[in-house]
């Protein structure tokens, strides 16, 4: 039987029924995109194959193709720049390999989600096109410069399409790098655009709503529940991805989100204070020092691990300690050696929720005497990004320590639990 890409077929094999759309295949197997969003590869031998519906003609397909983003723009709407960096929200299945790859440009995103054209007048720019795991600190600098240029050119808001796995790092970095007069909104999706369960459209629409609001901070806007009812607005320095695949993976830690976006009516409800549009002048400090380590302490780990970072030329170290922020006693001399060498050592907690307090137990007191700096209730990865940013601003050890102890971009809350 001659099957064409786009045909809907039903295949019965070994008493199992498969139905879906025929996709490209580089093997003898027939690849179907099923209604569940998943792919199935079935070898045709001894299979009963029925064509349920032939693919649409070229003319019909063209008729239903959405208009391009540029032809649907309205000139009386706010101007928003959408910057694509890659990730699942800008990805689709490569049916040659079965892998999800970053392939969509910013214009592709706008064309795929035509509802965006009702919210703002968009311009698109691909800053870089990488999957989340390939993000590097130098990319944050490039992204900050691009965001700054877009704001200087009159953008009323910025949307950054980003992979979810490292979004919290990039959002934290830009939170420190940019004092912004307009909203800067990170958005991603847990599931690629060509899956029926994709969260890309709702997340993007809610992100655009925030980008045109008066919330002039760096935020991340993602699903608030597994249903399509609302998105949460998280501060860039207080958000963390807490699940590998759920659509509501992102949560604010040690704080409430700024608010929520109702998907049904695109209305924003805020529950936390925030910096309002136009309050600050644009100021960009994008320099960063990438030679900083994030070291997770585990029971029995030799202090030689810390010694490696000290002797390898690292300029700063974040220790992810246990509980209130502890490492074993035999690590304390190496902490002191690092500090005496001009290397700041910041201590965060593996617990994520709660505040570091090294004044309760003897080991913590010894760590403070050795010169360790408490990260308060900062997330370990936020403390890591902040340390990189601080050391990019100054070479003076005392100034760096003062900046690390200061609350610069809502990365720490003022209430102490110690």
């Amino acid at each position: 039987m001659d099957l064409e890409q786009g045909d809907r077929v039903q295949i019965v094999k070994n008493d199992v029924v498969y139905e879906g759309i025929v996709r490209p295949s580089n093997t003898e197997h027939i690849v179907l995109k099923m209604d569940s969003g998943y792919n199935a590869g079935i070898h045709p031998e001894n299979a009963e194959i029925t064509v349920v519906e032939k693919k649409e003609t070229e003319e019909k397909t063209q008729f239903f193709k959405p208009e391009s983003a540029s032809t649907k723009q309205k000139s009386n709407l706010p101007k928003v720049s959408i910057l694509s960096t890659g990730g699942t929200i800008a990805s689709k299945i490569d049916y040659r390999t079965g892998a999800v790859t970053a392939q969509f440009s910013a214009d592709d995103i706008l064309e795929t989600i035509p509802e965006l054209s009702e919210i703002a007048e968009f311009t698109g720019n691909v800053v870089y096109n990488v999957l989340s795991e390939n993000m590097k600190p130098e990319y944050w600098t490039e992204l900050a410069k691009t965001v700054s240029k877009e704001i200087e050119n009159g953008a009323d808001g910025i949307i950054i399409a980003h992979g979810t796995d490292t979004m919290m790092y990039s959002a934290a970095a830009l939170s420190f790098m940019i004092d912004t007069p307009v909203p800067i909104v990170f958005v991603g999706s847990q599931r690629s655009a060509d899956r029926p369960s994709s969260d890309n459209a709702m997340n993007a629409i809610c992100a655009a709503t925030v980008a045109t609001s008066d919330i002039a901070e760096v935020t991340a806007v993602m699903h608030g529940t597994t249903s399509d009812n609302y998105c949460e607005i998280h501060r860039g320095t207080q958000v963390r991805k807490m699940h590998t695949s759920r659509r509501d993976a992102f949560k604010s830690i040690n704080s409430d989100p700024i608010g929520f976006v109702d998907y049904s009516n695109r209305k924003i409800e805020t529950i936390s204070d925030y910096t309002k549009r136009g309050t600050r002048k644009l100021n960009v400090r994008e320099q960063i020092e990438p030679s900083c380590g994030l070291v997770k302490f585990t029971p029995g780990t030799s202090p030689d691990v810390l010694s490696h970072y000290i002797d390898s030329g690292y300029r700063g170290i974040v220790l992810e300690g246990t509980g209130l922020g502890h490492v074993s006693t035999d690590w304390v001399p190496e902490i002191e050696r690092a500090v005496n060498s001009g290397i700041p050592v910041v201590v965060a907690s593996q617990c994520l929720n709660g505040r570091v307090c090294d004044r309760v137990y003897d080991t913590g007191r010894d760590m403070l005497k050795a010169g360790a700096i408490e990260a308060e209730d900062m997330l370990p990865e936020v403390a890591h990004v902040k340390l990189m940013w601080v050391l990019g601003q100054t070479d003076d050890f005392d100034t760096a320590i003062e900046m690390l102890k200061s609350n610069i971009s809502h990365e720490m809350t003022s209430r102490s639990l110690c």
Side-chain angles (χ1 to χ4, degrees):
M1 176 180 295
D2 291 331
L3 299 178
E4 297 181 89
Q5 296 177 27
D7 289 348
R8 172 173 284 274
V9 303
Q10 183 183 87
I11 301 177
V12 181
K13 185 168 183 177
N14 299 328
D15 297 325
V16 178
V17 179
Y18 305 88
E19 184 171 327
I21 305 298
V22 176
R23 294 302 190 191
S25 173
N26 58 357
T27 69
E28 295 180 356
H29 290 71
I30 300 171
V31 176
L32 298 183
K33 167 65 70 174
M34 298 185 293
D35 293 339
S36 64
Y38 291 94
N39 294 340
I42 305 103
H43 197 283
E45 186 178 359
N46 299 323
E48 181 183 336
I49 304 171
T50 304
V51 176
V52 177
E53 182 180 356
K54 292 295 291 182
K55 71 173 183 177
E56 297 173 333
T57 64
E58 184 64 30
E59 292 77 18
K60 187 176 181 181
T61 301
Q62 186 65 31
F63 179 80
F64 284 102
K65 182 179 179 180
E67 297 178 52
S68 67
S70 60
T71 62
K72 296 188 70 177
Q73 298 293 303
K74 296 181 179 180
S75 59
N76 61 337
L77 294 175
K79 293 178 171 58
V80 172
S81 176
I82 181 167
L83 306 178
S84 177
T85 68
T88 303
I89 194 169
S91 299
K92 59 184 178 181
I93 294 289
D94 182 342
Y95 289 102
R96 296 171 301 166
T97 64
V100 177
T101 56
Q103 296 179 1
F104 284 2
S105 69
D107 285 340
D108 291 329
I109 295 173
L110 295 175
E111 190 167 298
T112 303
I113 310 171
E115 296 93 334
L116 291 173
S117 64
E118 299 297 322
I119 301 173
E121 180 182 353
F122 289 93
T123 58
N125 185 5
V126 179
V127 185
Y128 34 78
N129 198 1
V130 299
L131 291 174
S132 192
E133 59 270 21
N134 294 326
M135 191 60 59
K136 298 178 181 179
E138 55 262 37
Y139 293 171
W140 301 333
T141 296
E142 182 181 356
L143 182 58
K145 290 179 179 178
T146 304
V147 168
S148 174
K149 185 180 297 183
E150 294 296 321
I151 295 174
E152 289 173 346
N153 289 339
D156 297 309
I158 306 291
I159 295 176
I160 300 171
H162 197 288
T164 59
D165 286 353
T166 58
M167 183 192 293
M168 55 193 179
Y169 292 90
S170 299
L174 262 65
S175 297
F176 294 120
M177 290 176 170
I178 302 177
D179 294 332
T180 178
V182 305
I184 300 174
V185 186
F186 279 81
V187 68
S189 64
Q190 290 283 78
R191 301 170 188 179
S192 58
D194 54 351
R195 289 183 59 180
S197 61
S198 178
D199 51 337
N200 75 322
M202 174 175 155
N203 290 347
I205 290 167
C206 290
T209 303
V210 176
T212 55
S213 74
D214 66 344
I215 303 174
E217 296 193 18
V218 177
T219 61
V221 174
M222 297 288 289
H223 261 61
T225 70
T226 56
S227 300
D228 292 334
N229 46 9
Y230 66 87
C231 281
E232 292 180 329
I233 309 167
H234 306 282
R235 276 200 170 92
T237 53
Q238 295 177 328
V239 65
R240 198 174 203 270
K241 184 175 181 178
M242 300 298 289
H243 196 280
T244 58
S245 57
R246 283 171 61 113
R247 299 201 294 176
D248 61 341
F250 282 75
K251 300 298 177 185
S252 289
I253 307 297
N254 290 321
S255 71
D256 292 324
I258 290 176
F260 311 92
V261 183
D262 189 323
Y263 182 48
S264 64
N265 57 23
R266 300 175 190 166
K267 289 186 177 180
I268 294 175
E269 176 189 356
T270 59
I271 60 173
S272 301
D273 292 337
Y274 58 88
T275 304
K276 293 188 177 182
R277 177 186 292 272
T279 302
R280 296 181 294 188
K281 292 184 178 180
L282 178 64
N283 184 26
V284 182
R285 296 163 292 177
E286 77 279 3
Q287 296 84 4
I288 201 160
E289 172 52 67
S291 297
C292 294
L294 176 57
V295 183
K296 187 182 184 77
F297 171 78
T298 58
T301 301
S302 170
D304 291 345
V305 172
L306 185 53
S307 305
H308 167 77
Y309 284 88
I310 298 171
D311 297 332
S312 298
Y314 277 74
R315 289 199 56 211
I317 301 169
V318 175
L319 296 180
E320 193 174 316
T322 60
L324 291 170
H326 295 136
V327 296
S328 65
T329 304
D330 57 0
W331 281 49
V332 175
E334 287 302 284
I335 293 175
E336 185 173 14
R337 183 165 77 93
V339 173
N340 289 339
S341 301
I343 303 172
V345 177
V346 181
V347 182
S349 175
Q350 299 170 12
C351 295
L352 305 183
N353 287 285
R355 185 177 298 271
V356 168
C357 186
D358 282 315
R359 295 178 295 281
V360 177
Y361 299 105
D362 286 343
T363 300
R365 292 172 183 266
D366 291 340
M367 292 168 65
L368 292 178
K369 289 178 183 177
I373 305 163
E374 294 171 308
E376 303 294 342
D377 59 349
M378 270 191 290
L379 288 163
E381 57 268 19
V382 173
H384 186 215
V385 172
K386 181 179 181 180
L387 180 59
M388 286 192 281
W389 177 78
V390 165
L391 294 179
Q393 310 310 304
T394 182
D395 291 324
D396 183 75
F397 182 81
D398 291 336
T399 302
I401 299 304
E402 184 179 346
M403 293 176 69
L404 288 166
K405 291 181 177 179
S406 300
N407 188 18
I408 294 172
S409 189
H410 302 286
E411 71 274 15
M412 301 183 291
T413 61
S414 58
R415 181 167 175 257
S416 177
L417 301 180
C418 292

